[in-house]
Amino acid sequence: MKKNKYCYEYPRPSVVVDCVVFGLDDDLLKVLLIRRDRDPFAGRWALPGGFVDMDEPLESAALRELKEETGVGDLFLEQLYTFGDPHRDPRGRVISVAYYALVKLSDHKPVAADDARDAEWVDVKQATKLAFDHDTVLKTALDRLRAKVRYQPIGFELLPAKFTLTQLQSLYETILGQPIDKRNFRRKILAMSLLTELPETQQQVAHRAARLYRFDRQRYRQLVKAGFNFEV
Amino acid sequence: MKKNKYCYEYPRPSVVVDCVVFGLDDDLLKVLLIRRDRDPFAGRWALPGGFVDMDEPLESAALRELKEETGVGDLFLEQLYTFGDPHRDPRGRVISVAYYALVKLSDHKPVAADDARDAEWVDVKQATKLAFDHDTVLKTALDRLRAKVRYQPIGFELLPAKFTLTQLQSLYETILGQPIDKRNFRRKILAMSLLTELPETQQQVAHRAARLYRFDRQRYRQLVKAGFNFEV
DNA sequence: CGATCATAGTGTAGAAAATACACTAAGTCG
DNA sequence: CGACTTAGTGTATTTTCTACACTATGATCG
């Protein structure tokens, strides 16, 4: 006896949040997908997401869904776009507020076979034929990530806390899909003075060990306030 | 006998679209506001907007609202952000998908005192203490406009079809809030080859008449496809 | 009808930023 | 200890950005 308790004078759409979660697995950019076990689109991959509670801000809803799927708390999260085509969900009018997130896949390693949900990290190039309009959502997120990474240092969110300059460069090359000159890249990145050189080097590599750096978030905030910009 | 016909198993928020409509009035950047005649926020200025119909795409809802308020059809319209704080409307949960638009105020001159609605073009600098969270929405739109105008030639949407380079420069100065060097500006703008020089000049000015130009939208589309970028 | 006024329109030189490019250094492994 | 692998470094050239001031043209007014 819990059906149809909530009645309104005019019809209302459902509102969901969907999350495009990016992670970097070696040199592959991956996205977190969920295998749907019921119709519509049973058996197809979909973006994690769910309904927004009535007393819950949109961003909190996105965070909640993410924690349920990935267990990850500390991450970069930003609103992407709102998709509202009347027929994007065959069950009825569902408006989706999409977010995209960047997680340090390397730190929180609980990758596949989570929480009883069939969640998996999939190479973005393989992630096609998704449920609903999620192909479009993913493409929008990728475009945004590519555009944003050029003028804001968000790439660090995908790397472990300590990383080498080569890792960082390779990340940019992966996201932007084009090779970058090593010397020019290093000069430019270091000129931003957002990186702190650590007294440590890489361990257990079969060649000269590279210096480790960390991203100096505090300094970044200062520079943003001072009106700096950060093109790569 | 039309109350509460629409019943659901779980509660649902209302969804509205709100529009931030910018127009250029001489050297002032203005925004279209509506004086609210009922509570909440009776007597305060608000952004034009309204409920999304169940079978209507979000952008169509925004366009519909805009036509109702301004009579303007031909305009630049883009989704801005979705505002979903649970308490942004004291009457209940209302999620607002905000759009921003640029209109050629100079062409469609039916400015104030429209359609029985108390709509008015207000200098953006004067537009404060708006209803709901519309101060935030307006600020977000302004930030977006300022950022976007630097790398996409959307400024033209605010000017009449035929305009002088001085008008264009003054528009950029108004939006960006800083003076620009005349010679450098002209060189850069003309180098993009997005402007077609017209065989006409300005009329009825008490000094040397300036050459008129028009924006070549077709050429713009070609260049976008070719991966050009357009920083100013 | 000539002087005055207001804005249109134009070029260059110096500084800064972007690009292209190849070798030596250091650590591991067999 | 030689071979292998990646780390780390500098310079010259080209391109882009910036700063800057005078002449041209048309309208108006006395």
Side-chain angles (χ1 to χ4, degrees):
Chain A
M1 191 48 75
K2 57 180 290 200
K3 285 248 167 195
N4 299 334
K5 289 194 302 187
Y6 299 94
C7 296
Y8 308 104
E9 189 173 348
Y10 297 98
R12 296 186 176 189
S14 303
V15 177
V16 300
V17 291
D18 287 313
C19 298
V20 184
V21 192
F22 291 111
L24 196 73
D25 192 359
D26 275 308
D27 281 359
L28 285 181
L29 186 64
K30 295 196 164 176
V31 60
L32 188 74
L33 296 180
I34 295 207
R35 183 76 77 173
R36 286 187 61 82
D37 55 4
R38 62 179 88 164
D39 268 323
F41 301 102
R44 297 269 280 276
W45 291 111
L47 296 169
F51 291 94
V52 177
D53 291 344
M54 280 306 265
D55 54 355
E56 180 184 49
L58 296 171
E59 185 166 317
S60 305
L63 275 172
R64 178 174 53 73
E65 293 293 338
L66 278 181
K67 259 182 210 149
E68 287 172 14
E69 310 298 353
T70 67
V72 173
D74 151 53
L75 45 65
F76 171 93
L77 181 72
E78 194 174 88
Q79 196 184 104
L80 175 64
Y81 196 81
T82 297
F83 298 85
D85 186 279
H87 307 295
R88 56 177 295 284
D89 188 320
R91 293 166 296 183
R93 185 75 194 265
V94 180
I95 289 171
S96 162
V97 183
Y99 281 77
Y100 74 109
L102 307 181
V103 313
K104 297 182 199 301
L105 224 172
S106 41
D107 285 8
H108 324 268
K109 261 272 172 170
V111 182
D114 269 83
D115 254 5
R117 295 287 281 272
D118 196 358
E120 212 168 293
W121 290 98
V122 179
D123 180 0
V124 290
K125 283 177 196 148
Q126 316 290 330
T128 56
K129 315 235 173 164
L130 306 183
F132 307 104
D133 56 354
H134 289 183
D135 282 333
T136 308
V137 181
L138 175 57
K139 181 177 185 312
T140 306
L142 262 174
D143 289 348
R144 178 83 134 255
L145 176 61
R146 291 207 177 101
K148 189 120 186 169
V149 90
R150 285 174 185 277
Y151 63 89
Q152 245 187 59
I154 57 174
F156 304 101
E157 309 289 345
L158 291 163
L159 290 179
K162 302 172 181 182
F163 52 86
T164 69
L165 293 181
T166 301
Q167 281 178 294
L168 184 61
Q169 176 176 347
S170 148
L171 177 157
Y172 274 92
E173 290 175 331
T174 300
I175 293 179
L176 298 177
Q178 59 183 355
I180 303 177
D181 179 88
K182 181 157 75 158
R183 280 173 289 194
N184 295 339
F185 178 79
R186 285 169 181 237
R187 193 168 342 141
K188 212 162 175 180
I189 288 288
L190 291 175
M192 294 176 185
S193 51
L194 289 176
L195 299 189
T196 304
E197 190 175 324
L198 297 174
E200 315 157 53
T201 56
Q202 242 176 346
Q203 298 298 319
Q204 294 167 326
V205 284
H207 52 79
R208 174 175 178 180
R211 174 71 45 190
L212 290 172
Y213 292 80
R214 67 175 177 78
F215 175 54
D216 188 340
R217 195 176 306 266
Q218 206 177 340
R219 178 137 183 79
Y220 170 61
R221 292 212 194 88
Q222 283 171 7
L223 290 175
V224 167
K225 270 190 194 165
F228 236 75
N229 72 335
F230 296 96
E231 293 198 26
V232 180
Chain B
M1 191 50 70
K2 56 181 290 202
K3 285 247 169 194
N4 300 334
K5 287 194 302 186
Y6 299 93
C7 297
Y8 307 103
E9 188 173 348
Y10 296 99
R12 295 187 177 188
S14 303
V15 177
V16 299
V17 292
D18 288 312
C19 297
V20 184
V21 192
F22 291 112
L24 197 73
D25 192 359
D26 274 308
D27 281 358
L28 285 182
L29 186 64
K30 295 196 165 177
V31 60
L32 188 75
L33 296 181
I34 295 206
R35 183 75 76 173
R36 285 187 62 82
D37 55 4
R38 63 180 85 165
D39 268 324
F41 301 102
R44 296 270 280 277
W45 291 111
L47 296 169
F51 291 93
V52 177
D53 290 343
M54 280 303 267
D55 54 355
E56 179 185 50
L58 296 171
E59 184 166 318
S60 305
L63 275 172
R64 178 173 53 73
E65 294 292 340
L66 277 182
K67 259 182 209 149
E68 287 173 18
E69 311 298 354
T70 66
V72 173
D74 151 52
L75 45 66
F76 172 92
L77 181 72
E78 194 174 86
Q79 196 185 106
L80 175 65
Y81 196 80
T82 298
F83 297 86
D85 186 279
H87 307 296
R88 55 177 297 283
D89 188 320
R91 292 166 297 185
R93 185 78 193 265
V94 179
I95 289 171
S96 161
V97 183
Y99 281 77
Y100 74 109
L102 307 181
V103 312
K104 296 183 200 299
L105 224 172
S106 41
D107 285 8
H108 324 267
K109 263 273 174 173
V111 181
D114 269 85
D115 254 5
R117 295 289 280 274
D118 195 359
E120 212 169 294
W121 290 97
V122 179
D123 180 0
V124 290
K125 284 178 197 146
Q126 316 291 329
T128 57
K129 316 233 173 169
L130 307 182
F132 306 104
D133 56 354
H134 290 183
D135 282 332
T136 309
V137 181
L138 175 57
K139 181 177 184 313
T140 307
L142 262 175
D143 289 348
R144 177 82 137 258
L145 177 61
R146 291 206 177 101
K148 189 119 185 169
V149 88
R150 285 174 186 279
Y151 64 90
Q152 245 188 58
I154 58 173
F156 303 101
E157 309 288 345
L158 290 163
L159 290 178
K162 302 171 181 182
F163 51 85
T164 69
L165 292 182
T166 300
Q167 282 179 294
L168 184 61
Q169 176 176 347
S170 147
L171 177 159
Y172 273 92
E173 290 176 331
T174 300
I175 293 179
L176 298 177
Q178 59 182 356
I180 303 177
D181 179 88
K182 182 155 76 158
R183 280 173 290 191
N184 294 341
F185 178 79
R186 284 168 182 238
R187 194 169 341 145
K188 213 161 174 179
I189 287 287
L190 292 176
M192 293 176 184
S193 53
L194 289 176
L195 298 189
T196 304
E197 189 177 322
L198 297 174
E200 315 156 54
T201 56
Q202 241 177 346
Q203 299 297 320
Q204 293 167 325
V205 283
H207 53 78
R208 176 175 177 181
R211 174 72 44 188
L212 289 172
Y213 291 80
R214 67 176 178 77
F215 176 53
D216 188 339
R217 194 175 305 266
Q218 205 176 341
R219 178 138 183 79
Y220 170 60
R221 291 214 194 88
Q222 284 172 5
L223 290 175
V224 166
K225 271 191 195 165
F228 237 75
N229 72 334
F230 296 97
E231 293 197 25
V232 179

